[in-house]
Amino acid sequence: MYNFDQVINRRGTNSVKWDSAADGVLPLWVADMDFATAPCVQEAVQRRAQHPVFGYVRVPDSYYEAVIRWFARRHQFTMQRDWIIYTSGVVPAISAIIQALTRPGDKVLVQTPVYNCFFSSIRNSGCQLADSPLVLHENRYEIDFEDFERKAQDPAVRLFLLCNPHNPAGRAWTQSELQRLADICLRHDVFIVSDEIHNELTLPGHKYTCLGALGEPYVRNAAILTSPSKSFNIAGLQIANITIADQDIRQRVDKQININEVCDVNPFGVEALQAAYSAEGEQWLEELLAYIQENYNFLRDFFQRELPQLAVIDMEATYLPWVDCWPLGKASKQMEKELLGGQQVWFNAGDMYQPGNSTFLRINIACPRSILEEALQRFAKYVKQA
């Protein structure tokens, strides 16, 4: 029903993804999609834009009802309205929560490789990084629970930043994995901040488990961060939610959200979220996931045929395959630079997500297949010339 093969010209729209790249470059880097958002979302924004005044917005009851219905029906997490704090984005929410619940010098636990903004939020809040690296086993990332517990036992570790589903490892953590992590955090008084922005982007055959669906006592020891921005390609509308069941922690976070001045949202984001979390939005989403799966299959087939020496890590969620280019003998920053300057294709260097001498590249496949195919052909030419 929806045409994800349509190539939409985004140049000249002040797109970070496209207008940061020179003419001729195919940008498959930053995590936004090149697909038109769901028609119901477009229509909701257009209806609101017909009114000529764009003043401060009062978030209506229907907004909260849309969030609560969506997560209860689709993800078996029944939240209460007063648990929800709306804000402009997941990254500002992460920073505000760290500042609200830690003191400078405290440690925040992460699992690398992981989303690069985790590092800056920790650093900018005056905290230290504690790392429990994921383990790559048979082409799939797994949690080293023994190492995780050793790190969590450190009394300086106050928070755990969970990426669920995980970017860039591509894991949709299972319920048993999440419960084991949550049990460790409860034993050692470590509060969980769960970034679930990729929650709807779980590929067919895999399941996203919301941390809140684990129930008591886990939901009382967590802040769950969600947004339709990744799944519906509306990051520019800047809308997100923090769900916190514990009243004291929620009040502290809400105060910090106001101190950081990310307590106000715009009218278009409010309308877009309600449209996205609807039956029509869900239908569009299911077709999107099928197309991303087809793109992922296309990419894997291409690598097996043209670049069998490189490993595409198994991806259960997101639209961001993680590729190990170790046989090329080059650091990821060098590869990113050479690809951009030579073949005019832009992938993300892996050391953004795994500080050090990473050999990985992250590829955004949320684009029409014709663009993906051309980018992969350029990459193959680069590899064969290396």
Side-chain angles (χ1 to χ4, degrees), residues 316-332:
E316 302 168 353
T318 79
Y319 46 73
L320 303 163
W322 186 238
V323 179
D324 190 356
C325 303
W326 175 82
L328 301 183
K330 297 183 178 183
S332 62

Side-chain angles (χ1 to χ4, degrees), residues 113 136 141 168 303 309-313 321-336 339 347-363 379 382-383:
L136 188 56
Y141 278 98
F303 272 79
Q309 70 273 38
L310 306 185
V312 179
I313 306 307
W322 186 238
V323 179
D324 190 356
C325 303
W326 175 82
L328 301 183
K330 297 183 178 183
S332 62
K333 278 187 176 180
Q334 180 184 357
M335 289 187 286
E336 179 186 47
L339 277 167
F347 299 157
N348 277 130
D351 66 353
M352 290 179 64
Y353 317 99
Q354 190 173 29
N357 190 24
S358 174
T359 60
F360 286 83
L361 293 172
R362 194 188 76 166
I363 304 173
F379 179 56
Y382 166 77
V383 171

Side-chain angles (χ1 to χ4, degrees), residues 194-363:
S194 187
D195 174 359
E196 305 194 1
I197 197 169
H198 291 277
N199 63 334
E200 305 301 340
L201 295 167
T202 306
L203 298 183
H206 300 281
K207 177 178 172 55
Y208 151 72
T209 300
C210 179
L211 187 67
L214 298 181
E216 295 283 359
Y218 309 108
V219 72
R220 294 282 167 183
N221 191 48
I224 299 164
L225 314 182
T226 60
S227 171
S229 63
K230 297 297 183 187
S231 306
F232 290 89
N233 206 26
I234 54 173
L237 298 183
Q238 296 188 315
I239 192 76
N241 294 296
I242 309 167
T243 304
I244 303 176
D246 183 277
Q247 182 177 2
D248 175 65
I249 292 175
R250 187 171 63 250
Q251 289 174 345
R252 291 163 66 186
V253 169
D254 188 47
K255 179 179 179 180
Q256 193 65 46
I257 288 288
N258 281 267
I259 291 171
N260 288 16
E261 302 291 358
V262 288
C263 52
D264 292 318
V265 292
N266 70 77
F268 300 110
V270 170
E271 298 300 326
L273 178 142
Q274 294 177 79
Y277 289 168
S278 68
E280 187 177 343
E282 187 169 29
Q283 180 183 356
W284 178 90
L285 178 63
E286 293 302 327
E287 293 192 28
L288 167 75
L289 294 176
Y291 191 88
I292 291 173
Q293 178 69 68
E294 291 168 0
N295 269 3
Y296 179 56
N297 293 342
F298 180 88
L299 178 139
R300 289 188 70 98
D301 290 344
F302 183 93
F303 272 79
Q304 289 171 4
R305 184 178 66 252
E306 302 290 338
L307 304 168
Q309 70 273 38
L310 306 185
V312 179
I313 306 307
D314 291 347
M315 187 177 80
E316 302 168 353
T318 79
Y319 46 73
L320 303 163
W322 186 238
V323 179
D324 190 356
C325 303
W326 175 82
L328 301 183
K330 297 183 178 183
S332 62
K333 278 187 176 180
Q334 180 184 357
M335 289 187 286
E336 179 186 47
K337 183 178 179 179
E338 290 175 351
L339 277 167
L340 188 56
Q343 296 301 324
Q344 293 191 298
V345 63
W346 193 347
F347 299 157
N348 277 130
D351 66 353
M352 290 179 64
Y353 317 99
Q354 190 173 29
N357 190 24
S358 174
T359 60
F360 286 83
L361 293 172
R362 194 188 76 166
I363 304 173

Side-chain angles (χ1 to χ4, degrees), residues 84-268:
I84 302 171
I85 303 170
Y86 58 79
T87 186
S88 58
V90 165
V91 173
I94 290 171
S95 294
I97 293 169
I98 294 174
Q99 291 160 18
L101 303 182
T102 67
R103 296 178 179 178
D106 286 346
K107 294 181 181 179
V108 179
L109 184 57
V110 302
Q111 297 170 305
T112 56
V114 75
Y115 178 48
N116 55 295
C117 286
F118 281 15
F119 305 128
S120 56
S121 289
I122 293 168
R123 182 177 61 251
N124 293 342
S125 300
C127 291
Q128 301 178 56
L129 179 75
D131 182 17
S132 179
L134 298 174
V135 177
L136 188 56
H137 177 67
E138 295 183 350
N139 210 51
R140 181 176 184 260
Y141 278 98
E142 297 178 353
I143 299 167
D144 183 340
F145 287 100
E146 289 72 25
D147 179 74
F148 184 86
E149 182 145 25
R150 282 195 298 271
K151 303 293 172 55
Q153 287 174 342
D154 183 345
V157 172
R158 305 305 303 148
L159 300 179
F160 165 42
L161 285 189
L162 168 66
C163 198
N164 175 41
H166 195 96
N167 168 27
R171 281 298 315 279
W173 302 119
T174 65
Q175 181 173 334
S176 62
E177 287 172 319
L178 288 175
Q179 188 155 340
R180 192 170 175 185
L181 287 172
D183 281 332
I184 292 170
C185 289
L186 279 175
R187 279 199 296 273
H188 300 293
D189 194 25
V190 175
F191 189 78
I192 302 175
V193 182
S194 187
D195 174 359
E196 305 194 1
I197 197 169
H198 291 277
N199 63 334
E200 305 301 340
L201 295 167
T202 306
L203 298 183
H206 300 281
K207 177 178 172 55
Y208 151 72
T209 300
C210 179
L211 187 67
L214 298 181
E216 295 283 359
Y218 309 108
V219 72
R220 294 282 167 183
N221 191 48
I224 299 164
L225 314 182
T226 60
S227 171
S229 63
K230 297 297 183 187
S231 306
F232 290 89
N233 206 26
I234 54 173
L237 298 183
Q238 296 188 315
I239 192 76
N241 294 296
I242 309 167
T243 304
I244 303 176
D246 183 277
Q247 182 177 2
D248 175 65
I249 292 175
R250 187 171 63 250
Q251 289 174 345
R252 291 163 66 186
V253 169
D254 188 47
K255 179 179 179 180
Q256 193 65 46
I257 288 288
N258 281 267
I259 291 171
N260 288 16
E261 302 291 358
V262 288
C263 52
D264 292 318
V265 292
N266 70 77
F268 300 110

Side-chain angles (χ1 to χ4, degrees), residues 9-12 15-29 339-346 378:
N9 182 9
R10 298 182 62 189
R11 291 194 182 274
S15 162
V16 167
K17 184 178 185 180
W18 284 86
D19 290 326
S20 298
D23 289 345
V25 170
L26 292 181
L28 277 69
W29 61 293
L339 277 167
L340 188 56
Q343 296 301 324
Q344 293 191 298
V345 63
W346 193 347
R378 296 184 189 187

